[in-house]
Amino acid sequence: MNTKLLRPILAILILITIGVRAHWNESIREFTSADVITYHEDSSKPDNKVIETTTPNTDVEFKRVARAYGIPSRIVKDFSVAQNGYYIIAGVYGDRKNADKFANKLKPKGLNPFIITHPVSKLNYVSLAQFENWKQAINSCSNEMNGKYNSEVWIMNIQGSSSAKTNSKAVLEKKASKENNLNTSREFIQAAKENKIAARIVPRFKGLKNGYYIVAGVFGDVQNVKSFQKKLSRRTLDSKVATNPDTGLNYVYLKESKDWKEAINTCASNLNGKYTDKLWIMNVFDPNEVEATEELEPSESYGKAVSESLSNVNQSNYNSLDSPGVLKKGSNFFNNDKLLKKADSYFNKMWYAEAADLYEQVLEQDPNNQSFKIIEKAGDSHYYNTNMERAYYWYDKLYMNYKDEMSAENIFKYAHSSKGTGKYARAKRLMRLYDREMKKGNTRALENLSRATPNEIVLDNILSTEETVNIANLAINSKYSDFSPMFYNDDEMVFSSAMDSSFFNTRRYKWNNQPYLDLYVAKINKESQEVKDAIKFSKKINTKYHEASVSFSPDNQTMYFTRNNYGKKLKRDKNGNNNLKIYMSRKIDGEWTEGEELPFNSDDFSTGHPALSADGKQLYFVSDMPGSIGMTDIFVVDVLGDGQFSAPRNLGPEINTERKEMFPFINEKKLYFSSDGHVGLGGLDIYEVAFDDEVGFLEVRNAGKPINSKKDDFSYIVDEETQKGFFASNRRGGKGDDDIYSFQKLLPEENNENAIAGVVTDVITGDVMPEALVLLLDENNIKLKEVVTGEDGSFVFEDLESNTKYSIKTVKDAYFEDEQTVITKENELVQTEVSLKKLKELIAIEDGIKKLKIEMIFFDFDRFYIRKDAANELDRLVEVMNEYKTMVIKIESHTDSRGKKAYNKYLSDKRAKSTRDYLISQGISPDRIQSAIGYGEERLLNECDGTVRCSAAKHQLNRRSEFIIVNM
């Protein structure tokens, strides 16, 4: 088999499947790298040699010969940013960052790739070489770039480019024009400041021409836009709306102008007195704006052209292909058998976090070989690990490609992942399908149904109502799972957590790659609902496996909890599963005894999530024991005393469904539990059901928003008198995998005004912070109000606009500034929490050397520019140096071991100087930086010295800058 012919054919097939789109929201930046071809104002020296446009006969000959060699080709007219010629293209990307990454991967192969960005489509073409003669280009492709590159390539012939005729004078004129525009922008900003008008320069706002726009409001919700425009029309003001396609924000502007002076005068006069509210000016300014006389062909046409060229290739050249894009066994391109077997092994062991990662790799490496089973398992792995975004992505692929093969179980998971990503309309349609197929007993044929079901009506009611509840994320939450809170004593809470307290050799639970769970106890502040000072509960109870979900008797002398079924090691049932069991412990002389198994446990099924009734006479729990209606049901037993219990009773079909019911909690008035079988918003939802002594349990009711979200919400506990309590959720904005939230339902009389309230605390100690300055800023960073916190660290801003975004900025001596965004609601008090960190905590002594301990300043491979994440950390360093005015530091920069030692030393020195220059640009005096020196690979942090194989992450640990304190 001729592999040289196979590769270009494979390239064509891959090009057909690749979809790329331009990334319009690139920031204004100068391209200084010598391997980048950019717009006309490129400061590189122009080439006075003009390449003549090829003739039609030449074009025909070029395409004919390229086709004969099996090399895809394309002629592009007026690609204005590149010279005429023949370019060997290895990849096309919509995102410039992806193009840069691909180009960097090619350099170690001895190649010199460069990137051409089209000014209209913004597509980034990674080229390996440019030739004036098409014969040279085809010859270079056929000999695989002298053996340096054996993957697929194609040839782009650029004709009619004006850049070939650009002389030095034109370049200078274009550069001068750009500088004039930049100067104009500076004058505009200065004038806006003098007139106290908020202003902002926005690069390349798609849909808006360069100019100055008088903006009256910015909204995320289209309904709010319409409401605002109606208000403006009542004032006889005309308005227009521009939507940023990248952020989805809608800008309502009242006037546009080409002249910044006119725009400022318009704002200063409040539109001649017609508009008295706040206005600001958005300057849409693209210094690289160029016009192309002819756009690139649409991707559909391109795909067709490539398909036509494929049809002319001799069939014998691709006999190794079973079907388009799928390689036969034995191919060395996409051999994923080992990876797939490992993924299946993890999946069968229920190590879903690791399985999901491997399935993603398999599907990414061979996008054309996506079978039903692989896609299904990729979706299931994410689903069982509650990553609903990725689960939805793969179930959606399954639906698009294998609709008729999907089972009712597939449909159910697809529906729930749809809800978990906020796609409620799609979820309703899918649940219709699921209900229909379950009734028919037919899990294959899928058809669209249009009539609304009772379940959809319930869902619509849940979505249209929202409880008045204040919710706050607790300070005790870790980056791991924290859940199952339970009241203990009068002012304490016991909860389950996977927080890592050992730091070294932490045991991991392979289901979700989290450490094993233990029980912790913490103090509750009954006023603020904050919980702090968490410590491990009891050495007699916590083991090396899972402990979770605890419940206490009314006198707090007996406890029930969940644990893995194990003796000297984990016990497994006949299917290889390790089940859960409920254990009981008693407090004797102030100490908890060893846990004892309850008599209704079994090695063959799980029991867990115990919940005692308020009088301690009944124990509710969750199990999948025989007699269960669904995957897990809620059962109850009578507590008879002396370790004796009645036979378990299923709570019945009014409570339990064919899916999962979990985490029961019961008090004097209601039973609360979580379920994914009742109608809900997505994942597990929290439900409540009142009970009557004579009738029994009444109607199950969804707890509604904001207690429930489109993610998992569970382990809800509440004090019915105060309506204060806690629950767990993996919703967005949390600190870890699952977080515990406090909540308080507001009384009707408290719900009259919009306000933001909070408490400022020390992030380490949790102590409240009196006399901290808290500023309220609007969206344009303009200060509206300021308060000083009281003795209890609290603050409040009242009389605010509803559904409005504000910033809360907190300042306190010897602490880092804190700034966070808060959005008000409709007639609600919004709670926010501010935790400040001391500046001096960044000063540490290591091996006798005093250092500034900020997070590592990392650099991209072979680069020395300051990344955004590095800039954020350097800003913290600036704050410390501003606090300690006499501090003098020296900067040491290091690289990894890849590349030549001399070059690495040069690169690290550039990084050190780049770091120093950034600090100086932020106001640090140069004489406070004693030195900035690069040490190359001389001081590695690990074993990656080039003699062993290391991952990219390990190499990155060595690419860093450190800050030594010379003088305080």
Side-chain angles (χ1 to χ4, degrees), residues 5-197:
L5 290 175
L6 172 60
R7 291 186 185 109
I9 297 167
L10 180 61
I12 299 172
L13 293 169
I14 292 175
L15 283 169
I16 294 172
T17 62
I18 292 177
V20 290
R21 63 172 184 169
H23 212 67
W24 74 271
N25 196 27
E26 295 284 347
S27 300
I28 297 177
R29 60 178 178 172
E30 294 288 342
F31 296 114
T32 56
S33 174
D35 63 355
V36 176
I37 300 176
T38 55
Y39 301 149
H40 288 310
E41 64 272 28
D42 190 349
S43 58
S44 59
K45 186 176 179 180
D47 188 352
N48 292 325
K49 185 176 181 180
V50 178
I51 302 173
E52 297 296 334
T53 302
T54 55
T55 64
N57 289 337
T58 305
D59 293 343
V60 172
E61 185 69 7
F62 158 59
K63 297 189 82 171
R64 184 188 65 78
V65 176
R67 188 181 299 117
Y69 276 84
I71 301 171
S73 63
R74 182 180 174 204
I75 297 173
V76 179
K77 303 288 186 179
D78 196 22
F79 198 135
S80 58
V81 296
Q83 292 182 340
N84 291 340
Y86 298 85
Y87 293 78
I88 311 300
I89 306 298
V92 187
Y93 296 86
D95 191 328
R96 176 60 188 240
K97 292 179 182 178
N98 292 335
D100 288 336
K101 288 179 183 177
F102 181 61
N104 288 334
K105 288 181 180 178
L106 298 177
K107 290 179 181 179
K109 299 179 180 181
L111 296 163
N112 294 306
F114 54 91
I115 300 169
I116 317 169
T117 303
H118 195 276
V120 177
S121 70
K122 299 299 186 291
L123 292 179
N124 300 283
Y125 293 76
V126 181
S127 179
L128 303 180
Q130 176 200 0
F131 298 95
E132 296 181 20
N133 185 285
W134 61 264
K135 294 180 181 178
Q136 294 174 319
I138 289 177
N139 183 58
S140 180
C141 284
S142 62
N143 67 17
E144 299 173 341
M145 300 292 294
N146 293 320
K148 294 180 180 180
Y149 190 72
N150 58 9
S151 297
E152 58 275 3
V153 293
W154 58 281
I155 301 174
M156 177 168 64
N157 174 210
I158 295 178
Q159 299 180 5
S161 173
S162 58
S163 66
K165 304 172 186 177
T166 304
N167 55 28
S168 301
K169 182 178 178 181
V171 171
L172 293 173
E173 286 175 352
K174 188 72 175 181
K175 185 176 180 181
S177 174
K178 179 180 174 182
E179 288 175 353
N180 288 336
N181 286 333
L182 292 171
N183 289 332
T184 300
S185 294
R186 294 189 192 101
E187 292 174 9
F188 157 60
I189 293 296
Q190 183 60 36
K193 285 182 180 178
E194 292 172 359
N195 285 274
K196 296 182 179 180
I197 298 170

Side-chain angles (χ1 to χ4, degrees), residues 613-632:
S613 60
D615 58 10
K617 294 181 178 180
Q618 291 183 312
L619 180 68
Y620 293 79
F621 64 95
V622 174
S623 180
D624 59 353
M625 65 173 59
S628 297
I629 295 172
M631 298 170 67
T632 57

